[in-house]
Structures are given as structure tokens and as C-alpha cells.
Amino acid sequence: MFYIQQLINGLALGSIYALIALGYTMVYGVLRFINFAHSDILMVGAFAAFFLAPGIQGVFGPESIPGALLVFLFSALICALLGVLIEMLAYRPLRNRPKLTVLITAIGVSLFLEFTCQHKGVFGSNTRPFPTLIPAQELHFGELVVSSNDLVVLVVTLLLLAALRFIVQRTKIGTAMRAVSFNPQAAALMGININHVISFTFALGSALAAIAGIFYAMRSPGIEPLMGIQPGLRAFIAAVVGGIGNLPGAALGGIVLGVIEAIAGGLPGVSNYRDGIAFAILILILLFRPAGLLGKFQAEKV
Amino acid sequence: MDRGAKRWLLAAALAVAVVSLFAGQFNRYYLGVTIDIGINIIMAVSLNLINGHTGQFSLGHAGFMAVGGYTAAKLSLLFGAQIPPGAAPIFFAVILLAGGLVAALSGLAVGVPSLRLKGDYLAIVTLGFGEIIRVIFQTTESLGGATGLTGLERYTNLAWAFVLAALTVYVVSCLVNSTYGRGFIAVHDDEVAASAMGINPTKYKVVAFVIGAFFAGIAGGLYAHHKLVLKPDGFDFMRSIEFVVMVILGGMGKTAGVILAAVILTVLPEFLRGFADYRMIIYSLLIIILMMARPQGLFAGWKTGRKQAAPTS
Amino acid sequence: MSTASAKERLLDVSRCTIRFGGLTAVSELDFAVKEGELVGLIGPNGAGKTTVFNLITGVYQPTEGAIQFNSRSLGNLKPHQITARGVARTFQNIRLFPSLSVFDNVRAAIQLHRRHGIVHALWRGGSFKQEEREVEAEALDLLKIFGLDRFRDEASKSLPYGDQRRLEIVRALATKPRLLLLDEPAAGMNPTEKAELTSLIKFVQERFRIAVLLVEHDMQVVMGICQRIAVLDYGVKIAEGTPDEIRRNPKVIEAYLGEPD
Ligand SMILES: Nc1ncnc2c1ncn2[C@@H]1O[C@H](COP(=O)(O)OP(=O)(O)O)[C@@H](O)[C@H]1O
Ligand SMILES: [Mg+2]
């Protein structure tokens, strides 16, 4: 029973990781670098919801479904904008530089967002309680107690994954994304506007991160400017574990990580090492399957 | 070509000895910052062997520092009380060495399995190792858990910090400027070509990790007996980033530049103390601007190429 | 060559196949080089010539078949171990060490047969200095032979294209090989440079008494100096023989000479 309980818990947590991991993996797909600032986007998403909620709930009534939907929507829009802006200002000028340069810049952007948001003129470094967006209920299935919010997270994630799949596989812009990720030069020659595709990728990934950030905030005691670091790291590990650049891989990696973490976190003696477990999984995966669970390994041509 | 090397080392040690004679007159605060500089030089120059000369990308250097620091600190807490004052320097040397060796072992543990990975993947794995090391310290009660180790003896002084910094610079420079050590740079430039020339890339990478970790461990021991407290969260990812930024600012693989960068980045935050609220914001902005404007390091284009940078040529 | 006994063969490639996914880049290749021989390996673009080099030097492992050097198997050896056994190579797409000077590119390769390691590099005692001096002299000698000593302290990538190719040969020779693999050394050179290079290769083979396996797209270079030539097409050896035999072989003419150059 304990395990089933933790499994559901882990699936919800894993869904959140999966949503974040998709952003890492999409950006890696088109630009081949790890966007360290992604973890801070989800924090901004949570804060956006925090500030938007009172106003929107004032109109639609507290804890109403349309109100919650609007909060999600606007936060996602804000983060999409932020993601696009970061790419344009910080990463675009470095497009043809060595990947290491871009990686360090991304770390710089991440630190910049964290420290700026910690400033007392912005959000300050205190933890603030997150408003209730969707009333949580305890659902009883026999001995099993499930939070309705866990189910909401699961369902929304599944819907978003389906939507994402549709966008990537069926739409014009999605096809362009795949083309750019397969071969940027060839894509450019075929008349694809690389900049548009990259902006779109950042917008999409950041919007998902915002939603994940709000979900994460709903499960946490409160929100603060460094709240993105831990889920960000986990999600990023999930992306690598699943095979970076691979969308289903990121989703799978997120779920796997969430479940392992929830189950291990519930075991006495192991729970203290929770922070280390994700990294241990990462290292094992990279050693035995360097390309990740679903990735393909490519040998260098000499 | 290397006639100057040992002499250079000797001169540095002498200069330090003379300065330490007057250390008593120094303002305590300045003295502290100066020792910080020495420790950071060790960290940056040793990381430069891994990231700069050998072209690996380690984001976990603070982890090695922690290993060395905790080893030395634990030993000094265990046995320090029994040591007669006259033997203190010898005792300190021994525990520093022990810290360095244990850190070197952990460098081996990280280096060997990570070698199959390159670029960002290697960066992530070293980051992961650094975090795991921190979590282990944080959860080990005999090492103080989250509160860390306190009540350490103040063994570190200016002389210790700078003699060891000079030694680090000497070792890294001499290594790289030898027929043997040119292999590091060859591996950095082109692994496939290097192995076609009979150079074993794996061996060089492991050696770089082990030596780099060794000196990081020594720096950790110095740090512990300088700050007198050792906390696990002092060795987080952010700390590793600081050292990486020093190496990049100085110009990967350029020893003189990296030393200068270590000095600047140690002193700069002190100057920014007045703007405490904006300090870290400025720091992060600097990283971004630096990567855009001078990705080869602050001193790129100055006459501090690989050959000139080393004291040996 | 089927007439050579196992003993005479320095390099012996037997029934080697390598596949990349669905593509068979080299198929059941049988091929040998004798001590001191100068052999050509030709074929149209994409025929698998570079892949053969990568197989011999351990960059790739054959899917099937075996490679012997000096009567010992090279199976499962790492590239650096194979170099230590006496096989050196150049690369089709030049791969010098860009952050090392011309001189240091050569010195980096000389380290292979040196005893000294970390401790000596740090202590810098008499024997270390002696050895460093020897390495220096040796590298300089090699550079002189190829007329590259005037570029000694320049960055390797600042050299003219043809000189970069020659520096790659020098660097390979610095590992003291018994078999030298040259991958399209004349690519991108003008006719005069090509002629110079041709005589240089001949000279190297005689002066250092080594076997040379030459991959070259330019027929004239190969025909001029090789004692024997093997022809690859789509990973299959379609002919082998003296330059004259190859010139007259209809299969070769179809596969190779028929192609506009
Ligand atoms: N690492 C690799 N992965 C996939 N295909 C490869 C690889 N290396 C070579 N090939 C393929 O093998 C074939 C032979 O290539 P190559 O040996 O470079 O030809 P050549 O040197 O004769 O021009 C080509 O079709 C090439 O694309
Ligand atoms: Mg080729």
C-alpha cells in the first residue's frame, strides 16, 4: 500500500519533472546546449501566478476553475516571453561560438535571474505561501488516499504531452523544429527561418516550465527565488537520462526520476540522500548508456 | 629552457617568507583576503590543468576542495590536541598532504568513469559528483552534518598559502612544458590525432584529474584552517562555478592569466561589499558580458600565450 | 599479396568487413603490405579508403575479420597502442594540434619513445634536461629534412596548406613508425607541389626504410611511385597489381578512370 501511495505521488512529481525536462531537451535539440536558466523560468512562472492569482480570483471568484486556467495561461505567456527574450539577448549573439561559451553564459543568466529576484526590490529572498488555485480534495480508494491535485497534474501533463506531440509531428513549425534539430545548415538552405524556430522552441519550453513551476509551487510549502534549482536539476537529469534531444525520452526520464525519488524518499535511511540519488542515477546511466535511455549514440567520423 | 623554473619557485617562496615577516603588521581583514587569494590561486591553477590545458570540463572542483578540507579538518580535530606546539607545522603539512591525497583518490574515482564523456556531458557528471560529495558530507553526522566542522586551529597563514600556491603554479607549468606534458595540450586540441601520435588520452585525462584534485584538496585543507569552520554548503555548485569563471576569465590554459583572474575575482567582491545587495547581480552580469565580449579571457591578445605564460620558457 | 609468405608481411588485413548501420563501408578486404614497400590504395570518393586506415589504426574495430601487424594481431588495441607498435598516419582532413607551435607538434609526437614522466618533468634533473635536448634535436632534424624548420615557432595553423600536410607527415614520422599511412597527402596541392610531394614520399620511404601505404585520389601521384596498387570500389577490392596492370584493368577503368576527375 505504501508503495502504491508513493507511486502515485512519484508519478505526479515525475510529471512535473517531465514538463520541465521537455524544455531542456527541446532547446538542446535545436541549439545543442544546456539552458541552465530554464530552472529559473519555472520559478518566474510560479511568481507570476502568485501575483496574478489575487486579481484574477477577484474577478472569477476564489478557487474557480476558469480563474485557475487563466492564471496558468497568463503565467505561461509571461514565461514564454521571458524565454524568447533571454534567447534573443543572451544566446543569439553567441550562436556560432563554442558550446562551452554558451554554457557558461547560460549559467550566468541563471545566476542573474536568481540574484535579481532575490533582491529586496524584486521578490526578496523570503519564502511566501502560495495561494490556493485549485481546491485540493482527498480522494479515498479503499485504503488509498490520493490528492485530487496529483490527479490534476497527471491529467494535465498527459494532455500537454499529447498537444506537444501534435505540434512537433503535425504542424509546420514543428516540422521546422525537427528539421533544424536534424541539420541546421540544411534547414536554413531549405528556407526555414532558424531564428523563428529557435524563438518558438524557447517560447514553448518556457510555457511548459511555467505550468510545471505552478504545479511545483502547489506542492511546496511556499515559493522563493531559488525554488527552481532543485526541480530544475532533477528535470535536467531526467532529460539526460532519457536521452537529451529526445522528447519522449525526457518525459520518460522525468517519470522514472520522480517515481524513484518518491519511493526512495519514503524509505528510512535513504531519504537523507535524496538529493544525491538523482545524480547517482544520472551517473550510472551515462556510464552504461551514454546516450540515455532512448537516445542514439553517434560515433565521431574521422 | 627550464633553467629558470626552480629559481622562479625559490624566488616566489623567498618573497612570501619576507612578506610573512611583516604579516603581523597587516590589518587582519586584509591579511584574510590575501590568504583567500593564495587559496583561490591554487584552486584556479589546478582547475586550469583539467579544464584549460587538458580540455576537459569539470564543474565539480569545489567537491575536491571539500574532500581535502574535510579530511584535513577531521584529522586536525582528532589529533591536533596531542601535538606539541613546536611540531604544529609538520602536523599541518601532514594533514594537508593527507587531504590532498584523499582528494586525488576522489579525482581518480571521478576521472576514470567520466572519461567516456565529453563536453557538456562531462560537465554534468562532474557537477553531479560534486553534489554527491556535498550531500554525503551533509548527511554524515561524524563530519558535523549540515552544521559542519567547527573549532579548527588557525594553522594557515600567509606563508603556507603562498608557498603552496607557488608550488601549484610550478608543478602545473613544469608539467605542461615538458615532452611528457605536451600530451595534455595535444589531448586538449585533438584527441583522435593525439592517440594517433601514440598519446594515451585516457591516461592524460586521469592524470589531469588526479593532480588537479590533489591541489584542490590541499587548498581545501588551507581553507579549513583559515576560516576555522567547514560547512558543506560552502562547497556547492556555485563555488565550483566561481573557479570555472576564474579559469575562463584568465583564458583557458594560460597560467599567468588565470592567476591574475583569481586575484581579481577574490578582491572584486570585497570592493563590492558596499553594494551588498547588488554584488551578486553584478557578478552574474559580468559573467554574461565577459562571455560575449571576451570569451578567450580578459587578457586574450596580450602577450601571455601558452609559451610565455609559463615560468619555464 | 597472395605470393608473399606470412613472414614477409608487415601488415596483413584478412577478410575485414565493417558496417555502419546498413552501410557496408569495407567488405571482406584481403590486403597486405610487405616490409619497406610503397603501396597505393586508390578508389573513387566514398570507396572506403579512409575507413581502411581507421580500421588499421584502431579508430574503428572491424565487424568481421582480423588485422595483423608484424605477425601480431591488432584486435582490440587502442589507437595509441597501435601507434606504439609502429603504425603512424596522417589525416585526410588535416588534424594538427592548433594550440601548439610547429616545433611542439613534432615534439608532442616524439614523446612516445621517451622514458621520462611526471616526476622527471617536475624535478628537472640532469637526465631530464639531457632527454629534452635530445627530443629538441630530433624534432629539429625532422623539420629540417622537410624544410619546415624556418616555421619552427609559428602556430601550426598559420602555415600554408601544403606545409600543413607536410608537417603532418613529419609528425607521423616522429613516432618512428615501420608503416606510414598517408591519407590523400596531395589533396589541394597544385601540380608543382604534387610533384615535389611525390619525390618526398619516395625519399621518406627510402631514407627511413619504412613501408608506406598511400591513399590518393590523384592517379598520377600513385602511378608514379607505388610498387603495387590496390583498388577499392564500394568497399570491395576490385583489383590489385603493378601500376601498369592497374592502368590496363578494365574494371578499374570502369570504376575509377571513367569518372571525370
Ligand atoms: N563513422 C561512420 N559512420 C557512418 N558512415 C561512415 C563512417 N565512416 C565512414 N562512413 C561511410 O563509409 C563510406 C566510406 O567512406 P570513406 O572511407 O571516408 O571513403 P574514402 O576515404 O574512400 O573517400 C562512406 O559512404 C562514408 O559515408
Ligand atoms: Mg577518404
Side-chain angles (χ1 to χ4, degrees):
Chain A
M1 203 38 66
F2 165 79
Y3 287 105
I4 300 180
Q5 193 88 51
Q6 292 296 358
L7 183 69
I8 294 173
N9 190 9
L11 284 176
L13 187 64
S15 303
I16 296 175
Y17 292 162
L19 288 178
I20 310 168
L22 286 167
Y24 279 115
T25 246
M26 282 194 286
V27 168
Y28 195 91
V30 292
L31 283 179
R32 295 280 179 277
F33 86 97
I34 296 158
N35 179 16
F36 260 87
H38 194 61
S39 62
D40 305 298
I41 305 255
L42 77 97
M43 172 270 291
V44 173
F47 270 96
F50 174 84
F51 287 112
L52 288 172
I56 292 177
Q57 287 182 337
V59 179
F60 289 87
E63 307 186 354
S64 71
I65 302 290
L69 278 180
L70 279 183
V71 170
F72 274 96
L73 187 68
F74 281 117
S75 306
L77 279 178
I78 290 173
C79 283
L81 210 66
L82 179 66
V84 171
L85 213 65
I86 289 176
E87 191 277 322
M88 265 164 51
L89 294 178
Y91 304 151
R92 191 164 296 181
L94 303 175
R95 191 72 59 78
N96 298 316
R97 299 273 189 81
K99 291 293 164 255
L100 226 50
T101 309
V102 192
L103 185 72
I104 304 284
T105 309
I107 293 173
V109 172
S110 166
L111 296 177
F112 177 72
L113 288 175
E114 284 163 20
F115 290 125
T116 307
C117 292
Q118 275 183 311
H119 192 270
K120 56 182 184 296
V122 188
F123 302 151
S125 48
N126 294 335
T127 303
R128 309 176 185 210
F130 194 70
T132 312
L133 296 177
I134 311 164
Q137 277 164 6
E138 285 192 348
L139 305 176
H140 293 263
F141 300 95
E143 283 174 55
L144 215 61
V145 188
V146 180
S147 159
S148 61
N149 274 351
D150 277 359
L151 294 184
V152 170
V153 170
L154 272 173
V155 171
V156 172
T157 303
L158 282 178
L159 290 177
L160 287 174
L161 286 179
L164 186 70
R165 197 182 156 77
F166 177 80
I167 292 176
V168 172
Q169 298 291 341
R170 293 290 157 79
T171 63
K172 209 170 153 207
I173 184 83
T175 312
M177 266 172 80
R178 281 184 292 142
V180 171
S181 122
F182 188 71
N183 185 340
Q185 283 86 22
L189 287 176
M190 313 229 308
I192 291 174
N193 185 332
I194 304 246
N195 283 339
H196 284 180
V197 172
I198 290 173
S199 292
F200 181 76
T201 307
F202 270 83
L204 204 58
S206 305
L208 291 178
I211 294 169
I214 300 174
F215 281 149
Y216 193 75
M218 283 163 49
R219 300 168 58 96
S220 314
I223 61 173
E224 44 94 22
L226 300 183
M227 67 172 274
I229 297 179
Q230 285 306 328
L233 270 178
R234 304 286 208 290
F236 154 60
I237 291 173
V240 178
V241 165
I244 195 144
N246 183 310
L247 294 180
L252 177 71
I255 303 280
V256 167
L257 224 65
V259 169
I260 293 182
E261 188 182 320
I263 290 181
L267 299 174
V270 185
S271 55
N272 285 342
Y273 292 94
R274 263 174 80 158
D275 286 346
I277 289 172
F279 279 109
I281 296 173
L282 168 78
I283 289 167
L284 287 179
I285 289 279
L286 283 183
L287 295 182
F288 294 106
R289 267 196 76 89
L293 291 176
L294 300 186
K296 285 197 198 67
F297 187 72
Q298 286 177 329
E300 186 190 3
K301 241 185 184 178
V302 176
Chain B
M1 93 176 220
D2 52 78
R3 245 194 8 256
K6 267 188 245 168
R7 233 179 262 174
W8 189 90
L9 179 69
L10 211 66
L14 216 72
V16 172
V18 171
V19 174
S20 357
L21 276 183
F22 300 102
Q25 268 106 50
F26 269 31
N27 170 321
R28 235 195 142 64
Y29 167 72
Y30 289 123
L31 187 67
V33 174
T34 315
I35 292 176
D36 286 342
I37 291 178
I39 294 174
N40 284 344
I41 289 177
I42 301 179
M43 290 302 291
V45 170
S46 59
L47 182 63
N48 192 30
L49 177 65
I50 304 174
N51 286 19
H53 294 300
T54 319
Q56 301 301 288
F57 194 68
S58 171
L59 271 180
H61 215 46
F64 299 136
M65 188 185 193
V67 171
Y70 268 89
T71 307
K74 190 70 195 173
L75 287 175
S76 90
L77 287 177
L78 283 177
F79 305 110
Q82 287 108 290
I83 303 296
I90 297 171
F91 176 66
F92 189 42
V94 169
I95 60 174
L96 283 181
L97 187 67
L101 289 176
V102 177
L105 270 182
S106 67
L108 190 69
V110 177
V112 169
S114 311
L115 289 169
R116 297 167 48 185
L117 307 169
K118 291 197 173 98
D120 7 11
Y121 281 90
L122 181 66
I124 305 159
V125 166
T126 50
L127 188 165
F129 271 112
E131 287 290 293
I132 289 177
I133 288 172
R134 189 175 59 80
V135 170
I136 291 176
F137 286 135
Q138 203 153 7
T139 38
T140 308
E141 284 312 317
S142 58
L143 293 176
T147 33
L149 296 174
T150 51
L152 292 162
E153 199 64 38
R154 188 185 295 283
Y155 288 128
T156 305
N157 58 26
L158 209 61
W160 277 107
F162 277 85
V163 167
L164 288 172
L167 189 73
T168 311
V169 174
Y170 173 83
V171 167
V172 171
S173 306
C174 280
L175 263 189
V176 174
N177 283 285
S178 66
T179 301
Y180 172 82
R182 230 157 267 126
F184 291 109
I185 302 167
V187 170
H188 163 276
D189 280 2
D190 189 332
E191 241 176 79
V192 173
S195 49
M197 296 310 124
I199 293 163
N200 181 354
T202 310
K203 191 179 90 183
Y204 275 93
K205 289 187 206 169
V206 173
V207 167
F209 258 103
V210 169
I211 295 180
F214 175 78
F215 283 108
I218 295 218
L222 287 171
Y223 179 83
H225 297 89
H226 171 47
K227 302 290 182 196
L228 314 186
V229 284
L230 215 49
K231 278 188 173 186
D233 46 7
F235 301 102
D236 59 1
F237 169 58
M238 184 64 209
R239 203 78 211 277
S240 292
I241 294 287
E242 277 174 36
F243 302 127
V244 170
V245 171
M246 286 175 194
V247 170
I248 292 178
L249 187 75
M252 297 255 212
K254 291 170 187 158
T255 310
V258 168
I259 295 172
L260 213 53
V263 176
I264 293 174
L265 283 180
T266 317
V267 175
L268 189 70
E270 303 299 329
F271 277 120
L272 292 177
R273 246 174 222 288
F275 315 89
D277 288 346
Y278 294 95
R279 195 162 73 130
M280 295 316 288
I281 301 180
I282 296 174
Y283 181 77
S284 53
L285 266 180
L286 275 180
I287 297 180
I288 301 172
I289 294 169
L290 177 74
M291 288 333 295
M292 294 204 180
R294 300 203 68 94
Q296 307 296 334
L298 263 192
F299 320 108
W302 294 16
K303 274 220 162 288
T304 50
R306 189 162 258 132
K307 290 192 68 186
Q308 292 89 335
T312 52
S313 39
Chain C
M1 191 145 117
S2 46
T3 50
S5 75
K7 244 190 175 164
E8 291 178 286
R9 291 175 188 173
L10 181 62
L11 175 77
D12 194 349
V13 177
S14 59
R15 303 189 70 77
C16 258
T17 300
I18 183 168
R19 292 188 198 96
F20 298 109
L23 176 92
T24 306
V26 173
S27 172
E28 309 220 332
L29 178 69
D30 272 308
F31 179 70
V33 178
K34 288 188 284 185
E35 195 97 49
E37 208 181 9
L38 208 169
V39 184
L41 181 63
I42 63 172
N45 255 329
K49 306 175 299 281
T50 300
T51 305
V52 170
F53 274 19
N54 286 334
L55 285 169
I56 298 172
T57 53
V59 176
Y60 301 149
Q61 292 293 330
T63 319
E64 282 155 38
I67 301 173
Q68 286 201 327
F69 183 74
N70 206 13
S71 306
R72 287 162 72 195
S73 166
L74 296 183
N76 293 323
L77 289 188
K78 298 262 170 56
H80 68 93
Q81 294 169 314
I82 293 176
T83 311
R85 294 262 179 102
V87 182
R89 73 176 288 183
T90 65
F91 294 90
Q92 183 175 349
N93 45 342
I94 302 175
R95 298 185 85 138
L96 291 165
F97 303 123
S99 51
L100 290 177
S101 67
V102 168
F103 191 46
D104 283 346
N105 261 277
V106 184
R107 285 204 285 180
I110 290 183
Q111 70 135 356
L112 176 58
H113 299 286
R114 296 287 153 176
R115 303 167 278 127
H116 286 153
I118 300 176
V119 177
H120 284 88
L122 294 184
W123 182 246
R124 314 222 140 196
S127 74
F128 168 82
K129 284 175 190 162
Q130 172 68 28
E131 186 168 286
E132 290 287 297
R133 272 196 296 273
E134 284 168 21
V135 168
E136 223 163 292
E138 202 178 313
L140 210 56
D141 280 349
L142 278 171
L143 284 173
K144 272 186 191 143
I145 294 176
F146 287 75
L148 290 170
D149 50 322
R150 64 204 154 108
F151 297 125
R152 194 191 134 129
D153 292 321
E154 311 228 344
S156 55
K157 35 174 195 194
S158 70
L159 291 192
Y161 190 75
D163 285 327
Q164 289 194 24
R165 287 223 172 267
R166 294 193 306 161
L167 179 56
E168 267 218 342
I169 301 179
V170 177
R171 192 180 62 169
L173 285 172
T175 67
K176 299 197 171 66
R178 289 173 68 190
L179 171 65
L180 177 64
L181 311 177
L182 301 175
D183 199 345
E184 305 208 12
M189 290 185 174
N190 62 34
T192 332
E193 283 177 317
K194 275 184 185 167
E196 272 174 30
L197 182 83
T198 312
S199 48
L200 188 69
I201 293 171
K202 191 86 194 125
F203 168 78
V204 164
Q205 180 225 0
E206 282 161 6
R207 150 102 196 234
F208 295 92
R209 298 212 189 104
I210 56 177
V212 177
L213 179 56
L214 174 65
V215 160
E216 186 46 67
H217 206 65
D218 189 297
M219 287 298 261
Q220 257 166 353
V221 174
V222 189
M223 294 290 171
I225 48 174
C226 291
Q227 295 153 330
R228 198 156 52 81
I229 296 173
V231 187
L232 276 186
D233 192 23
Y234 292 108
V236 179
K237 187 172 82 178
I238 55 168
E240 186 170 358
T242 63
D244 271 339
E245 287 164 1
I246 294 300
R247 230 190 297 267
R248 285 194 302 265
N249 188 315
K251 272 201 217 157
V252 178
I253 296 169
E254 188 190 331
Y256 194 100
L257 300 180
E259 174 189 80
D261 201 35

